[in-house]
Amino acid sequence: MDSASYGEKRDGDSDLNSRHVELSAAAVDTGARFAVSGEATIDHNESIRIRRKIDRNILPMMCLLYLVQFMDKTTLGYAAILGMNQEAHLTTDQYNWLGTIFYLSYLIFEYPQNLALQRFPVGKWMSINIFVWSVALCSHAACKSFGGLFAARFILGICEGSITAGFMIVSSMFYTRKEQTLRVGYWFLMNGTAQIILAFVAYGSLNITKGRLEPWQWLMIITGLLTFVLSICFWFFFPDSPTNAWFLTPNERALAVQRIKSNQTGVENKHFKKEQMIEAFLEPKTWLFFVFSIFDNIPNSLTNQGTIIITSFGFTTLQTTLLGCVSGVVEIATIWSGVEISARIPNSRAYVGAIYFLPSLLGVFLVNLLPWSDQVGLLFSVWLGTIQITAFVMALAWVSATTAGHTKKITMNAIMLCGYCIGNAVGPFMWQEKYKPRNHVPWIVIGVCYVVSIILLLIIRAHLAIENKRRDAESIDRTYDDIYIELVKSDGVTEKVKVDKVRFRLKPEDRC
């Protein structure tokens, strides 16, 4: 979808014109600097071997962090039914603000976090954020007022801003476009797994009767300590890019760069390019994804409201904690099936995402129309309402696969995640005391958001399809065929080396 990292065709350029360009090493992608140092080539079997080695070493850590992150984020909902609201004397509005401030701080610091991810080593920067986040989470246990909890949630939001953005960058560094959809889906599966594990942790916390700490405080301490251990592991074992991955040999690093060369999205570049940021701001797809992200995430307030809603149906606190496992199973099944279908059927991301909204729409109708005495029916309606998460997974992979240039990539990621924050920050305020117990107004808003999201997905697909046809009609750009960078050899001699530019047209499966 996007132009190559090294240049674009501009109106009036001649296809026969070639231009000799010399760049400093700092101005080009690290992958380009690494690739020119050798003559590595890679065949299909070797590519699969390298991919499996990457999967074994980074995918489990990404999945584990996403699991812990979602556990930490959703502790608020379980803490509410374990006694936090009563002990901290929280009103409904104050509780809603605790959900909102997390995403407001996420929003405020999202672009600074993305700039830091470009400026500093990705793995190290994320590990620092995970450490601070673990301390803030444990600190919840010492908070006995709205002000203290508000401050702790604010810090959590700042730190989480580095995780999804960092993972999107890492996924594009190590994986091809087709592989990215599956990998983003795999670490998003951990959201469902986290709900299952957190339900059992909450159940266990509920049964801790000795000591002066309340069950909700134990919940915060246990999850905080797990996060602390993970921050140490990330510091020592998570790579910053394929060019310095500890588990790859020097030759395998070159092969890893060769593997993703056809992406033409680059590996990593510490040099901020203003023109790429402006280009991202001027593209219609940027703002279509942004608006989609807002509407798709307003219903995400169900994350923290779900336990309260299920309790209102008449289930006990013990039953509610265990029923949280089912929500996790539903999410795992829907995300896994969604990413598998989209990976196997070319050009299907938008259609798969749209289809997965339909069960959620059915859930909205049922939760509004079923009699209040139908506990089981209402419960299944809530579970149906969470299936739409698959569409956001599709969108994240879509953005990463269709954006070239490191600065442009972090700008797109930041804008997409800002929409995510706005939607999540607005959502909690729907759940007002005056709408209880049926909450008709919030559920109707959620239904409208689902319909708008479906329409936006189809508009994005149509826009990208038109853009593909326009670019297919263009002749190949040879403006930047001759690019040389300066490399300093081990003997101190500076050598100019040509960077090979791959010309290609996107495969159908890499487009819509």
Side-chain angles (χ1 to χ4, degrees), residues 40-55:
T41 57
I42 186 167
D43 61 25
H44 179 68
N45 291 332
E46 187 71 357
S47 175
I48 292 175
R49 186 185 71 81
I50 297 296
R51 187 200 70 200
R52 287 174 177 168
K53 194 168 186 179
I54 292 169
D55 281 343

Side-chain angles (χ1 to χ4, degrees), residues 102-280:
F102 176 92
Y103 291 103
L104 284 180
S105 62
Y106 192 135
L107 174 64
I108 293 168
F109 287 91
E110 182 54 35
Y111 199 66
Q113 282 280 19
N114 273 269
L115 291 177
L117 286 167
Q118 181 179 25
R119 177 66 180 83
F120 303 114
V122 175
K124 299 297 185 293
W125 182 252
M126 283 197 296
S127 65
I128 292 170
N129 278 273
I130 300 166
F131 171 76
V132 175
W133 156 16
S134 70
V135 174
L137 191 62
C138 288
S139 299
H140 279 63
C143 300
K144 299 295 181 67
S145 67
F146 170 69
L149 291 169
F150 187 92
R153 300 292 297 177
F154 185 87
I155 295 171
L156 283 183
I158 295 173
C159 296
E160 192 184 327
S162 68
I163 306 305
T164 301
F167 277 11
M168 290 170 71
I169 292 171
V170 169
S171 294
S172 65
M173 284 180 180
F174 283 93
Y175 296 108
T176 65
R177 280 183 170 88
K178 187 175 181 179
E179 293 166 353
Q180 285 172 36
T181 301
L182 283 173
R183 271 64 190 180
V184 171
Y186 291 158
W187 40 266
F188 248 93
L189 283 175
M190 295 302 103
N191 287 3
T193 308
Q195 291 184 54
I196 297 172
I197 294 174
L198 188 61
F200 284 111
V201 173
Y203 174 77
S205 300
L206 192 62
N207 287 279
I208 299 177
T209 56
K210 295 182 179 180
R212 293 185 298 175
L213 297 179
E214 297 294 325
W216 70 271
Q217 292 173 307
W218 278 114
L219 180 68
M220 295 297 184
I221 292 172
I222 292 169
T223 52
L225 290 176
L226 288 173
T227 307
F228 172 76
V229 172
L230 193 57
S231 70
I232 304 301
C233 294
F234 253 73
W235 180 270
F236 289 106
F237 299 113
F238 196 79
D240 300 308
S241 83
T243 62
N244 64 5
W246 61 269
F247 53 86
L248 297 176
T249 66
N251 183 58
E252 287 174 337
R253 293 171 189 172
L255 294 176
V257 172
Q258 290 287 334
R259 253 177 43 80
I260 64 164
K261 199 171 182 180
S262 63
N263 285 357
Q264 288 210 346
T265 56
V267 174
E268 184 182 34
N269 195 319
K270 301 302 182 185
H271 180 68
F272 182 83
K273 298 180 180 179
K274 183 179 178 181
E275 65 276 10
Q276 287 189 13
M277 181 186 73
I278 294 172
E279 184 180 330

